[in-house]
Amino acid sequence: MVEMRRAHTRDAYGRALVELGRRNPNVVVLDADLSTSTKTAMFGKEFPERFFNVGITEQNMMSIAAGLATCGKTVFVSTFAVFATGRAFNQVRQSIAYTNLNVKIVATHGGISVGEDGASHHSIEDIALMRVLPNMTVVVPADAIETEQVIFAVAEKPGPVYVRLCRPPTPLIYEEGYKFRGQPLKYELGKAVLLEEGSDVTILATGILVYEALEAAALLRKKGISAEVVNVHTIKPLDEELVEKSARKTGAVVTAEDHSIIGGLGGAVAEFLCETYPVPMARVGVRDVFCDSGPWEELLAYYGLTASGIADAAQKVISSRGVVR
Amino acid sequence: MPIINNKHEPHTEELVKRLEKLAKKFRREILIMTTKAGSGHPGGSLSAIDVITAIYFHQLRHDPSNPKWEDRDRFVLSKGHACPALYAVLSELGYFPKDEIHNLRRIGSILQGHPDMVKTPGVEMSTGSLGQGLSAAIGMALAAKLDRKDYRVYVMLGDGEINEGQVWEAAMVAAKYKLDNLIAILDRNRYQLDGYTEDFLPLEPLAEKWRSFGWHVMEMDGHNMKEILDTLDEAEKVRGKPVMIIAHTIKGKGVSFMENENKYHGKALTPEELEKALKELEDPEDDEPRG
């Protein structure tokens, strides 16, 4: 196996913000005493006038962001995912989503890959919470390279967006300049990326599980199973066209995410397919439990959010379909 | 209608009379629209209406024909449930036709049960979930400083509303940024839904609390139009600090059987009660409006 390249999605965010700040004087950034972790401090250092660290007041921060947005600002607001979506849920709902204001909530430390800090800091429900809000777009980049694309894309998109990043340095699936296996791609919000074509099963993955999905496809290939791998970076709006097309093609779907199996990518796909083209389906994710503290990669393995977890789910879902082609 | 910029008008008896007359008309409209809707919050609308009238007709620089004018002063009604008061004022100014008040809380209406900045011209922030308007106003005030604009941001909070922890988060942040373009008014009508504020979560000593949070605190009789005008003018002179004006008011003000009668916090008058109330609020020089 070639050496794995890794990078922090939040570093990519920090760099992209600085670049955005240079391009657009209307970009302002808020943080709630986590700026050195979320990397908004990089923006704060270059643009102190446009950076507001409001202390540990996440609820207040969300409504301030809304007020700034009413005055024509493109507002980026950052804290950890569990606080952005859980602690300040009603503020996001009332002040940002209901008003359809131009606020980009970029939360770091999503999922259980937060690791040792434990369940108080694991964010296993943030995608579900944001996805249920009208007007809200929900994006989970697969790696640091895609993160850069996402940040520039959401800055151009009017209205509220939730972007979920993570804590650890995670494997890169793309190459510099947003290429996949040498092929240049064009990033588009709402358009999932078909990474590998296959015919026996569709693996729809998001965030850091996209890498695991690609590994799972390699494992399955050794067993003679052809898996289609799709990076669903935008969970809302879901790329229904691609999801349905792939489900029709393979007749079996596995979703994979660093999130609860309830309400996230798995929930979104299940809701959609059961109304359009029901196929046997399995959801890989946190199975409705609060997880333990631990090193992040061990945690993912312990809770089955891995290539082998995905491959097992794929085989199960294929057998429940009854036909292995 | 061109830009309204009246704040330099002297506070003459004539001005005071004119604003009092308007406020009385708005009191009738508040009661008419909530009774017609069959629900709403008349008590806290009546306590707030004198201050809101003074702010919109005298203090704010704004343009009803261009609600999104960048340089306008802003007013955020953080106690969003008092929106009948805001709707009466905005319609009078021409932000939308007066007739809309008869559609309050109906499906398809631009006048929602709580303020909706997307649907209603002139509404600066969607509120209704308490405790958020002050933070939003801070965002607007910060934007003014960033853009080197001289507009002011007014925000009205309810006294019950400041139970919310977010208000105190916002209080600290406004002081940190020395937002002297932010003027908050606390509608101190002494009642919240369940009753007398001090019985549920004591707020006193209120002025000392805000002072200790770094605000310049003023107090006024929120039903004395001359005092309201004078205090709002004084508030504009404060430098380096946000201003909190505690407006001492009476819930249900203007209708004898509603004053300090908390059952009208979130309940509209019956048609019979409305008729009685309108008699008390009659203006001999004015024969409209009637329900």
Side-chain angles (χ1 to χ4, degrees):
Chain A
M1 198 176 135
V2 290
E3 200 193 332
M4 190 196 294
R5 300 168 305 129
R6 288 170 181 269
H8 281 98
T9 50
R10 52 200 171 109
D11 280 338
Y13 170 49
R15 284 193 302 272
L17 263 189
V18 171
E19 178 58 30
L20 271 179
R22 289 175 190 154
R23 287 187 203 170
N24 182 353
N26 263 328
V27 169
V28 300
V29 178
L30 286 85
D31 204 301
D33 193 41
L34 292 172
S35 67
T36 47
S37 291
T38 64
K39 303 299 175 187
T40 60
M42 292 162 74
F43 181 93
K45 198 172 163 209
E46 185 153 339
F47 306 103
E49 240 205 357
R50 290 191 264 150
F51 177 67
F52 304 99
N53 191 331
V54 296
I56 311 167
T57 71
E58 294 85 3
Q59 303 174 9
N60 172 55
M61 175 169 71
M62 292 300 174
S63 307
I64 292 180
L68 280 158
T70 66
C71 300
K73 301 295 171 198
T74 298
V75 188
F76 281 79
V77 49
S78 289
T79 176
F80 292 175
V82 72
F83 308 133
T85 63
R87 180 131 197 152
F89 179 74
N90 186 251
Q91 284 73 13
V92 173
R93 179 184 188 274
Q94 166 84 37
S95 295
I96 296 172
Y98 181 40
T99 52
N100 203 16
L101 284 167
N102 200 21
V103 177
K104 318 304 171 192
I105 303 162
V106 182
T108 64
H109 295 59
I112 62 169
S113 57
V114 169
E116 291 87 343
D117 277 347
S120 63
H121 283 57
H122 293 163
S123 185
I124 56 171
E125 66 285 83
D126 56 317
I127 297 172
L129 286 168
M130 292 298 102
R131 192 170 74 81
V132 78
L133 292 173
N135 295 334
M136 187 65 78
T137 295
V138 179
V139 189
V140 187
D143 69 5
I145 289 166
E146 192 168 66
T147 298
E148 183 187 18
Q149 301 289 321
V150 167
I151 298 305
F152 291 134
V154 301
E156 296 300 315
K157 183 191 160 45
V161 181
Y162 177 67
V163 180
R164 183 218 228 200
L165 306 178
C166 46
R167 184 190 68 85
T170 50
L172 292 172
I173 67 158
Y174 295 103
E175 297 114 43
E176 268 324 309
Y178 203 48
K179 288 183 196 144
F180 184 69
R181 292 174 187 164
Q183 284 295 107
L185 303 171
K186 192 177 173 306
Y187 183 80
E188 204 178 328
L189 283 170
K191 291 277 174 236
V193 186
L194 179 57
L195 295 175
E196 274 187 24
E197 292 205 43
S199 52
D200 296 328
V201 61
T202 300
I203 304 172
L204 303 171
T206 197
I208 62 173
L209 268 284
V210 175
Y211 176 81
E212 300 296 327
L214 288 166
E215 295 284 293
L219 293 176
L220 290 167
R221 203 175 303 125
K222 286 182 195 148
K223 296 183 176 176
I225 297 167
S226 161
E228 180 141 301
V229 180
V230 181
N231 169 16
V232 188
H233 54 69
T234 308
I235 295 177
K236 185 184 176 185
L238 187 67
D239 187 344
E240 297 182 343
E241 197 185 324
L242 200 157
V243 170
E244 186 181 336
K245 197 173 151 198
S246 188
R248 282 182 185 276
K249 179 173 161 191
T250 65
V253 169
V254 175
T255 58
E257 61 200 306
D258 181 9
H259 184 273
S260 172
I261 55 166
I262 301 169
L265 173 65
V269 170
E271 287 162 18
F272 169 66
L273 285 180
C274 85
E275 285 187 346
T276 50
Y277 190 77
V279 293
M281 203 186 139
R283 295 164 297 161
V284 171
V286 176
R287 304 198 73 81
D288 199 21
V289 290
F290 289 108
C291 300
D292 280 0
S293 293
W296 71 277
E297 283 169 305
E298 288 177 30
L299 266 187
L300 292 184
Y302 186 79
Y303 292 98
L305 313 189
T306 54
S308 62
I310 295 168
D312 289 350
Q315 283 172 282
K316 254 182 228 159
V317 82
I318 287 168
S319 63
S320 72
R321 186 188 55 194
V323 189
V324 180
R325 281 173 282 187
Chain B
M1 199 180 286
I3 290 168
I4 299 174
N5 188 8
N6 295 334
K7 79 170 113 201
H8 303 297
E9 243 181 284
H11 303 169
T12 59
E13 211 172 301
E14 189 274 327
L15 171 66
V16 168
K17 277 230 170 81
R18 180 150 48 87
L19 294 177
E20 285 172 347
K21 189 178 164 72
L22 275 169
K24 200 171 192 183
K25 180 185 182 202
F26 299 147
R27 286 195 155 84
R28 296 195 296 271
E29 291 177 350
I30 287 164
L31 297 176
I32 289 166
M33 72 175 102
T34 47
T35 293
K36 197 149 187 182
S39 65
H41 298 78
S45 301
L46 293 180
S47 65
I49 189 61
D50 293 312
V51 174
I52 297 178
T53 302
I55 286 175
Y56 269 94
F57 285 84
H58 185 70
Q59 214 67 22
L60 288 192
R61 180 182 62 190
H62 61 131
D63 183 357
S65 66
N66 183 14
K68 299 283 176 202
W69 176 41
E70 284 183 4
D71 295 335
R72 72 194 183 279
D73 292 327
R74 275 101 168 140
F75 174 77
V76 174
L77 185 63
S78 194
K79 50 170 287 188
H81 55 285
C83 58
L86 184 60
Y87 298 158
V89 168
L90 291 178
S91 55
E92 187 74 17
L93 286 161
Y95 279 96
F96 51 84
K98 185 63 90 181
D99 279 351
E100 287 293 337
I101 67 171
H102 301 295
N103 297 323
L104 172 67
R105 293 181 166 237
R106 293 209 183 145
I107 293 172
S109 170
I110 62 164
L111 301 184
Q112 296 292 297
H114 289 83
D116 180 337
M117 64 176 284
V118 177
K119 289 201 167 80
T120 314
V123 168
E124 297 285 1
M125 178 50 61
S126 301
T127 52
S129 176
L130 292 175
Q132 301 188 28
L134 179 57
S135 305
I138 288 172
M140 296 172 192
L142 285 172
K145 299 258 179 196
L146 269 181
D147 295 339
R148 315 263 187 274
K149 287 185 182 290
D150 67 351
Y151 65 77
R152 284 193 170 75
V153 185
Y154 294 82
V155 52
M156 178 180 272
L157 297 110
D159 50 1
E161 178 179 16
I162 69 169
N163 291 176
E164 292 282 6
Q166 185 183 350
V167 171
W168 301 98
E169 295 181 355
M172 287 189 278
V173 169
K176 170 189 170 180
Y177 290 107
K178 303 181 171 45
L179 295 178
D180 50 14
N181 55 351
L182 176 68
I183 298 174
I185 299 103
L186 185 74
D187 185 20
R188 181 70 171 121
N189 63 28
R190 300 181 304 128
Y191 286 90
Q192 54 197 99
L193 190 143
D194 269 341
Y196 181 47
T197 57
E198 303 312 285
D199 287 343
F200 293 96
L201 187 56
L203 300 174
E204 297 295 345
L206 203 43
E208 284 86 335
K209 276 199 177 101
W210 285 94
R211 235 170 247 131
S212 72
F213 272 73
W215 288 57
H216 181 86
V217 179
M218 306 170 79
E219 301 198 49
M220 68 183 182
D221 174 347
H223 299 306
N224 180 325
M225 196 55 81
K226 175 78 165 63
E227 203 175 313
I228 296 168
L229 294 174
D230 292 348
T231 310
L232 288 173
D233 266 5
E234 280 304 305
E236 292 197 355
K237 294 177 189 156
V238 174
R239 291 287 171 271
K241 279 181 177 189
V243 178
M244 168 54 73
I245 303 172
I246 299 171
H248 295 280
T249 59
I250 294 168
K251 206 156 178 175
K253 172 72 179 178
V255 178
S256 60
F257 62 89
M258 292 179 77
E259 289 190 3
N260 294 323
E261 181 47 77
N262 205 43
K263 74 174 180 186
Y264 298 109
H265 166 87
K267 187 176 159 294
L269 300 184
T270 63
E272 298 72 38
E273 289 172 322
L274 175 65
E275 203 172 320
K276 257 173 76 183
L278 290 179
K279 272 216 176 76
E280 291 189 24
L281 292 168
E282 243 168 39
D283 184 342
E285 303 162 31
D286 202 349
D287 57 1
E288 52 104 42
R290 291 280 176 267

